[in-house]
Amino acid sequence: MNDPIRPVKIDDVPALKTVLDSSELFPSDLLNDMISDYLNNESSTDIWFTKTDRGRPISIGYCAPERLTEGTYNLYAIAVHKDYQGKGIGKEMMKYIEDLLRKKGNRILIVETSGKPDFELTRAFYDTCHYVKQAVIPEFYEKGDDKIIFWKKLH
């Protein structure tokens, strides 16, 4: 499990779908469309990354710039396969993307999540990664499901 975190490659997609199914982050059948620009467009500003175990992806991360901003990125997805959760991989993934964005001169990383009780551990994770709860948009996703926005200055 000492494989480095690295950019996603096209051959990773089937294993990344397994990570998504295991973590229940979002339906894995959405991945092909979501990652298409990154895999097919050399000038894509999307960032997809993974941690592997013996070369097989065990996590997924997806980050992209916020439109009409300067140096602000949004982390749209981060998940670790359920068999590898609780081992610090999520924090390692966060450090990787923060360091990468910082090196590229970016200023801010935001993350958004649900306000539902099922996402309490997710919100606590962002707290432990030193993100500041910046905003709550009531009933954003659906009635009774607020959007919680966390923020971190990168430098």
Side-chain angles (χ1 to χ4, degrees), residues 2-144:
N2 291 326
D3 293 2
I5 297 172
R6 61 164 174 79
V8 165
K9 301 181 285 191
I10 194 163
D11 294 346
D12 295 330
V13 172
L16 294 173
K17 288 182 178 184
T18 302
V19 171
L20 289 171
D21 290 338
S22 162
S23 66
E24 299 179 346
L25 179 65
F26 59 82
S28 62
D29 59 346
L30 299 177
L31 183 60
N32 287 350
D33 285 339
M34 290 176 67
I35 201 168
S36 177
D37 184 63
Y38 168 80
L39 293 173
N40 298 301
N41 176 3
E42 288 183 14
S43 63
S44 175
T45 54
D46 290 357
I47 301 170
W48 288 84
F49 55 106
T50 186
K51 168 102 174 145
T52 60
D53 182 18
R54 293 176 293 245
R56 182 169 177 78
I58 57 171
S59 67
I60 187 171
Y62 166 48
C63 190
E66 278 291 319
R67 292 184 183 138
L68 306 176
T69 68
E70 188 177 300
T72 300
Y73 266 72
N74 192 324
L75 183 68
Y76 290 108
I78 187 166
V80 176
H81 191 285
K82 69 177 180 177
D83 294 344
Y84 294 87
Q85 291 177 0
K87 300 177 193 269
I89 295 168
K91 286 184 182 176
E92 192 179 340
M93 295 278 288
M94 293 301 290
K95 181 176 178 353
Y96 171 88
I97 193 60
E98 291 167 11
D99 289 347
L100 179 67
L101 292 172
R102 197 176 290 114
K103 286 176 191 169
K104 292 183 174 192
N106 293 290
R107 305 174 305 110
I108 295 169
L109 181 58
I110 60 172
V111 292
E112 304 168 359
T113 191
S114 169
K116 284 186 172 180
D118 293 359
F119 289 82
E120 182 61 39
L121 287 176
T122 301
R123 294 188 300 274
F125 170 73
Y126 293 131
D127 283 337
T128 64
C129 292
H130 308 289
Y131 281 75
V132 175
K133 181 178 170 182
Q134 196 65 47
V136 176
I137 302 174
E139 301 191 2
F140 181 84
Y141 295 107
E142 63 185 20
K143 187 173 182 174

